[in-house]
Amino acid sequence: MNSVPAEFTGTASATLATSSCFHCNEALPAHPAHARLDGAERAFCCDGCAAAAAWIRDARLDDYYHLRSAPAARVAAEDADLALWDREDVLAEHARAVPGGRELTLLTDGMRCAACAWLIDRALSREPGVLEVSANAVTGRIRIAWDPQRTRLSSPLRRLQSLGYRPWLATGEAGERARRSERNRWLLKLGIAGLGAMQAMMFAEALYLDTRGSMSLAMRDFLRWTTFLVSTPVVFYAGWPFLSGCWRELRHRRPGMDTLVTTSILLAYVASVIETIRGGPQAWYDAAVMFVFLLLLARMLEQRARRSASAQVDALARARPALAVRERDDGTREHVPLALLQADDIVCIASGEHVPADGVLLDPRASFAEALLTGESHGIGKTMGDPVYAGTICGDRPARIRVSAIGQATRLSQLARLAEQAQAHRPPLARIADRIASVFVLAMLATAAIVFLAWRAHDPARALEVTLSLLAISCPCALSLAVPAALASANGTLAKLGILPVSADALDRLANIDHIVFDKTGTLSDGSPVLGDISVFGDMADDAALRIARALEHDSKHPLARAFLATSAEAATTATDMTVHAGHGIEGVVDGRRWRIGHAVFACGRQDDGAVWLGDGEHAAARFVIREHERGDARDALARLQGLGIELHLSSGDARAATARIGERLGIADVRARQTPEDKLAFVRALQAHGRRVAMVGDGLNDAPVLAGADVSIAIGDGAALAQRSADLVLASPSLMRIPAAIALARRTRGIIRQNFAWAIGYNLLALPLAAAGMVTPWLAALGMSLSSLAVTLNALRLTRPRA
C-alpha cells in the first residue's frame, strides 16, 4: 500500500463535522486520518483511503470527487497476491495477444458509477507499459492492454487495488456474485419504492376523499407529515439512480430522460414539503413516489432485456470448469487447473461434465450437448477424430479427447469475446433517439415555463399543479427506451439462436436485405468433401501424388483441403515456399520441385473440367475428383428465404459443372462459377448499384473482400469464421436455418421499434394538450407516463420469444 503523506495524519479538527469517510463513506473510527482536499479538511476511515485520496489529488484527478454519484469502495489491505496475475499459466488462460502486447478483461466489485470508470481509465493509463484501458461502469468490467516487455500485469493492478478496486478474473463465479449483488440492490430500491408508494397512496386517498372539508386540520397535517416521512426515503434512496443520472447529464450539458424525471420528482416533492409546512390546500407526495416506483419497475424490465442479451456471455463464462482430469503417460489420472493444460494432452471428461478445452475425440463414439455454442437443443453424436469444443457437456458416457486449443484460443472464448464486442457498441438508431430525446427535454422545460406563467395569470392556485402534471406526463422515457429495449431483447434472442452480431447496426441492416449471395464450398456444402477418383500421368504413382497434394494442402484453410487431409497418405513430407493464389490454387516446393494444385488452368495449363489438378504449371501429374454434399438443411433454409421475398444467388470459385449441379438441386437460378474474391465483390457492387440491399454468406476464409463490401455479411461458424473481422454476423452453428430466422427476427425488431416510436409520439401528442389544459392531475400524469414506459418495454420483451 502507498505510504500516507504527513498531511494525511493527525487528530480531528474542530471544524470537521462529518461521521463518514470522505473517500468510501464508511463510518469513521475513533482516530481517523485527516487531510485538506478541495480547500477543506477531510476525514478518512483508514490509511488506505487516505493514500488513495492522496494519489488522486497528486495525479490531478480530484475531479473524480465532483463527478462521482456513489462513494468509492473502501481500500482494504492488500491481501490479494497480485503476483499470481503474472503467471504464464494464468495469462495463457485469460489473456490474448494484441498488437504491441496482451489484453485481459477483469471484474471489479467497487466500480459504482461513471466517475469510477473515469478514474480507472485515467489512473491506469498513466501506469508505465499500459497501452489501453476501458472501464465499463454498467457491467463492472475493465479491459486492459499492456506491454509485457515494459511492465508486469501486477503493476497496474496494484494501482487499481490501491484505489479501492480489487481485481477479479472475469469468469463465472466472480461475475455471478457481482451481478447478484447489483440485482439485490435494485430489488431493495424497488421494494422500498413499492411500499412507500402504497403507504403514500393510502394516506393521499384519505385526503382526497375529504370532499366536504370535514377533516380536522390536525388530522390533515398528521397525514401529510406521515406521508412526508414515507416519501423521503423513496425519493432520495430509491430514486437515487434518477437523481445521479440527472446530475451527470447536467454536468455534461446533455439533458436527457433523467433530467426531466428528476425535475418532476423533485418539483412534486419540494412543492409538497412547502405546502405541508405552510398548511397549503394540496400536496403531491403520492405523485412523486408513484413516479419513482413505476419508473424503477420500467428500468428493471429494461435491465432484464439487457441481461437476456448478455446471458450468452455469462453462460459462456460459467461453462469453464475449474479443473480438468488429465491422463498421464502411464494411464493414471490427475486433476490439474485449466491453465496447466497444453496441446496434445489427453483429457478425460465424465458424463454430465463440461469439456475444459477444444480437442479431438479419441473414443469410438460419444455425444455432447452443444446448446450453449450452437443453439442445438439435442445432443450431437461424435465419432473418433471429430472435433469437441470447450464448454460443451459430455453426454451419457465418459469421453477422452486430445487437446488442440486452450484458453483464449478455444471456440468458447472466441464466442464470448464476440458477444462482448457486440454489446459494447451503441447502434446509430439508438444515438439518434437519444439526440431527439435531448432536444425534446429542452423544449418541454421551455414549454413548462410558458404554461406556468399562463396559468399564473389565469388561475394562480393551479399553476404549480398544472406545470407539475405537464412535466410528469411529458417525460420522454418511452422515446428513449424505444430502440435500446428492442435491440437488447433482439440480441438476447439472437444469442439463443446461436447467432452473434459483431457489428452494432447489423440487425438494422439485416432487416432491409432483399438479395443474398452464397458461397458454395463450406457454406451450402457440408464442409466434409470426400476424395473420389484419382488419375495419374507419366511416372507419377497414386501414393506419391497424394503425398505431394497432402503436403501442399496441409496448412490450407480451404474446405476442399480436408479431402486430402483425411487420407492415410504419408504425413512426413512438408512443403516450403508456399504461395496461395486466391481463387486459383496453391503453389509450393515439395522434395525440391515446385508444384501447383488447384484448377486445371492454374496447375497445368489444361482446360478447366471442375476437378482438382496437380502439376508444375505446364504439365499434369495427377487429377483428383472431389465429391461434396449440400448441407442437410440447405434446401429448407433457401426455401424459407425465398418465402421471405429474398432473391438468391450462388457465387463460387469452383467449376461450372459442380456449381450448376448444387444450384439446380437447391433451386438457385443465378449461378456464377470460377469467381475470384474480386469477381464476387464486383457482382455485389453491381447489385448495390441497382439499389439492391445485399447480404453475403461465406465461410469467412477466402471471402474477406466481399464480406466487407456487402451490406450485411454472415460468416459460417467454424474457428476461422469466428475470428473473421469482416463479418457482421457469425453463425455459431453451421445450420443455415439460422439465417431466415435471423432475418425474420430483424424484421420483427424493426416493426417493434416502429410501434414503440409510434406509441411514444402518439402518447405525447395526446397527453401534452390535456395536461397543459389542466385536465390531468399530477398523480394521474405520473401513472400515464410510467405506464407508457412500461408498455414500450413490455412490447420489446416480445422479441425474447423466438418464433418457429
Side-chain angles (χ1 to χ4, degrees):
M1 176 65 68
N2 296 339
S3 60
V4 183
E7 65 266 33
F8 277 79
T9 60
T11 59
S13 169
T15 62
L16 188 65
T18 181
S19 59
S20 60
C21 175
F22 176 72
H23 182 73
C24 71
N25 209 35
E26 296 283 341
L28 291 176
H31 302 287
H34 303 95
R36 292 194 66 79
L37 197 66
D38 289 341
E41 191 169 2
R42 308 294 186 184
F44 300 91
C45 64
C46 63
D47 289 347
C49 286
W55 186 90
I56 291 171
R57 181 201 60 194
D58 295 341
R60 296 185 179 180
L61 295 175
D62 42 338
D63 277 349
Y64 161 72
Y65 291 112
H66 304 293
L67 292 172
R68 65 179 181 175
S69 59
R74 180 172 183 173
V75 182
E78 292 187 6
D79 54 348
D81 185 4
L82 296 179
L84 293 174
W85 292 74
D86 297 326
R87 289 179 49 173
E88 188 56 38
D89 51 0
V90 174
L91 295 178
E93 175 71 17
H94 298 283
R96 68 187 184 98
V98 296
R102 306 178 86 168
E103 181 182 277
L104 180 138
T105 299
L106 55 92
L107 286 173
T108 179
D109 54 4
M111 187 162 39
R112 298 170 179 171
C113 66
C116 292
W118 177 89
L119 176 64
I120 291 170
D121 281 344
R122 282 154 181 79
L124 296 190
S125 296
R126 298 186 181 193
E127 291 294 305
V130 173
L131 305 176
E132 184 182 0
V133 178
S134 176
N136 189 322
V138 178
T139 62
R141 283 177 164 85
I142 303 170
R143 181 174 56 83
I144 179 171
W146 78 101
D147 182 359
Q149 302 298 323
R150 297 172 55 197
T151 184
R152 292 178 176 269
L153 178 59
S154 58
S155 179
L157 295 189
R158 193 164 287 110
R159 171 62 62 204
L160 182 71
Q161 183 169 271
S162 72
L163 295 175
Y165 305 103
R166 183 174 180 178
W168 306 86
L169 282 173
T171 52
E173 286 303 315
E176 186 64 25
R177 284 196 300 270
R179 286 186 295 274
R180 189 163 51 243
S181 176
E182 178 69 12
R183 183 177 65 249
N184 290 341
R185 284 196 295 269
W186 276 90
L187 286 174
L188 179 61
K189 291 180 186 293
L190 184 66
I192 291 175
L195 290 173
M198 286 190 293
Q199 295 298 318
M201 289 297 295
M202 182 179 67
F203 296 135
E205 184 179 9
L207 294 171
Y208 289 146
L209 292 177
D210 183 29
T211 56
R212 299 182 180 180
S214 59
M215 183 180 294
S216 66
L217 292 179
M219 177 56 70
R220 186 199 68 180
D221 290 343
F222 170 76
L223 291 176
R224 285 187 178 178
W225 281 110
T226 305
T227 310
F228 162 77
L229 295 176
V230 170
S231 303
T232 299
V234 174
V235 170
F236 293 103
Y237 174 72
W240 183 250
F242 308 113
L243 303 180
S244 59
C246 171
W247 176 245
R248 287 193 296 273
E249 290 175 352
L250 294 178
R251 283 194 60 85
H252 291 93
R253 298 179 181 178
R254 294 187 63 182
M257 179 178 69
D258 285 344
T259 300
L260 210 52
V261 167
T262 300
T263 302
S264 303
I265 293 172
L266 291 182
L267 183 60
Y269 177 80
V270 173
S272 299
V273 172
I274 294 174
E275 291 296 289
T276 300
I277 294 173
R278 62 187 288 266
Q282 197 168 1
W284 303 278
Y285 292 114
D286 54 327
V289 296
M290 183 186 296
F291 210 18
V292 172
F293 170 66
L294 292 175
L295 279 177
L296 276 176
L297 183 59
R299 188 158 290 189
M300 287 196 69
L301 286 173
E302 181 196 3
Q303 288 180 345
R304 175 190 168 189
R306 294 183 185 277
R307 281 196 301 271
S308 71
S310 62
Q312 183 79 349
V313 179
D314 302 335
L316 291 170
R318 289 192 296 269
R320 297 182 176 96
L323 297 172
V325 179
R326 183 168 61 186
E327 187 175 283
R328 298 188 182 98
D329 293 339
D330 60 0
T332 59
R333 298 178 178 183
E334 60 177 339
H335 286 80
V336 296
L338 296 191
L340 297 183
L341 286 181
Q342 297 179 355
D344 291 330
D345 280 349
I346 295 177
V347 172
C348 306
I349 306 111
S351 175
E353 294 292 329
H354 285 92
V355 178
D358 288 358
V360 176
L361 183 64
L362 299 178
D363 295 331
R365 63 182 184 275
S367 66
F368 296 87
E370 297 184 349
L372 186 61
L373 299 183
T374 67
E376 296 287 351
S377 58
H378 56 279
I380 306 297
K382 304 275 187 178
T383 58
M384 184 181 297
D386 286 346
V388 178
Y389 300 110
T392 58
I393 301 175
C394 187
D396 56 1
R397 66 176 65 195
R400 296 163 65 248
I401 66 169
R402 185 179 301 279
V403 174
S404 60
I406 59 173
Q408 294 297 309
T410 63
R411 187 177 185 180
L412 181 73
S413 296
Q414 293 170 348
L415 284 169
R417 187 160 59 249
L418 284 177
E420 286 182 341
Q421 289 173 0
Q423 295 170 33
H425 294 88
R426 191 166 176 80
L429 197 59
R431 294 196 294 268
I432 292 172
D434 286 346
R435 286 196 293 269
I436 294 173
S438 181
V439 173
F440 181 82
V441 167
L442 294 175
M444 283 312 308
L445 291 175
T447 302
I450 295 171
V451 168
F452 176 80
L453 294 175
W455 275 90
R456 187 75 176 172
H458 172 67
D459 186 356
R462 296 198 62 201
L464 183 61
E465 176 187 350
V466 173
T467 303
L468 176 59
S469 298
L470 181 68
L471 287 173
I473 210 168
S474 65
C475 177
C477 299
L479 184 63
S480 296
L481 291 172
V483 177
L487 291 181
S489 299
N491 284 333
T493 303
L494 281 178
K496 294 176 184 176
L497 291 173
I499 305 168
L500 295 175
V502 179
S503 174
D505 58 344
L507 206 61
D508 182 45
R509 287 184 280 124
L510 188 63
N512 298 316
I513 290 302
D514 52 20
H515 285 247
I516 296 183
V517 179
F518 284 93
D519 180 37
K520 180 181 76 71
T521 305
T523 302
L524 292 179
S525 65
D526 60 7
S528 300
V530 177
L531 187 61
D533 297 333
I534 303 175
S535 303
V536 294
F537 306 92
D539 57 356
M540 179 66 69
D542 288 3
D543 290 345
L546 280 174
R547 181 175 57 82
I548 296 171
R550 183 184 176 110
L552 291 170
E553 298 281 8
H554 185 268
D555 294 320
S556 173
K557 299 301 182 182
H558 194 282
L560 291 183
R562 298 173 187 171
F564 297 97
L565 301 181
T567 66
S568 58
E570 183 182 346
T573 304
T574 59
T576 59
D577 194 17
M578 300 287 292
T579 303
V580 177
H581 299 270
H584 301 286
I586 299 173
E587 182 178 3
V589 176
V590 180
D591 296 336
R593 183 176 176 183
R594 181 165 294 278
W595 293 96
R596 289 185 175 187
I597 187 169
H599 62 69
V601 177
F602 169 75
C604 55
R606 294 197 179 191
Q607 184 176 0
D608 184 21
D609 63 352
V612 175
W613 288 75
L614 176 68
D616 59 7
E618 296 180 358
H619 305 95
R623 177 180 179 272
F624 306 98
V625 176
I626 297 178
R627 299 189 179 94
E628 293 182 273
H629 303 281
E630 67 264 20
R631 294 188 185 275
D633 62 349
R635 194 185 305 272
D636 292 339
L638 298 187
R640 288 194 60 180
L641 288 171
Q642 291 171 331
L644 293 172
I646 295 173
E647 191 169 335
L648 306 179
H649 309 268
L650 175 56
S651 182
S652 173
D654 288 350
R656 163 65 60 180
T659 304
R661 189 163 51 249
I662 196 170
E664 183 179 357
R665 288 201 299 264
L666 296 178
I668 302 177
D670 185 19
V671 174
R672 297 168 185 268
R674 286 302 182 209
Q675 299 285 291
T676 65
E678 292 75 17
D679 294 332
K680 296 179 183 180
L681 179 59
F683 175 57
V684 168
R685 295 291 192 212
L687 290 174
Q688 292 170 332
H690 288 84
R692 311 302 186 193
R693 302 295 179 88
V694 185
M696 175 68 193
V697 184
D699 57 16
L701 300 170
N702 299 321
D703 297 320
V706 67
L707 285 172
D711 294 294
V712 179
S713 53
I714 304 172
I716 301 295
D718 58 17
L722 290 174
Q724 176 54 254
R725 296 178 181 271
S726 299
D728 296 308
L729 294 157
V730 172
L731 303 186
S733 163
S735 171
L736 295 178
M737 291 299 292
R738 304 286 192 267
I739 298 175
I743 293 175
L745 177 65
R747 293 179 177 179
R748 283 179 60 206
T749 303
R750 182 177 59 185
I752 291 291
I753 290 175
R754 289 174 176 174
Q755 292 170 15
N756 286 351
F757 271 129
W759 169 260
I761 294 171
Y763 161 79
N764 279 288
L765 290 176
L766 176 65
L768 290 181
L770 295 176
M775 301 174 65
V776 180
T777 60
W779 72 267
L780 188 59
L783 180 62
M785 188 283 307
S786 303
L787 291 179
S788 175
S789 300
L790 284 171
V792 166
T793 305
L794 291 173
N795 191 38
L797 287 174
R798 290 165 50 204
L799 293 168
T800 61
R801 297 190 297 271
R803 291 182 178 175

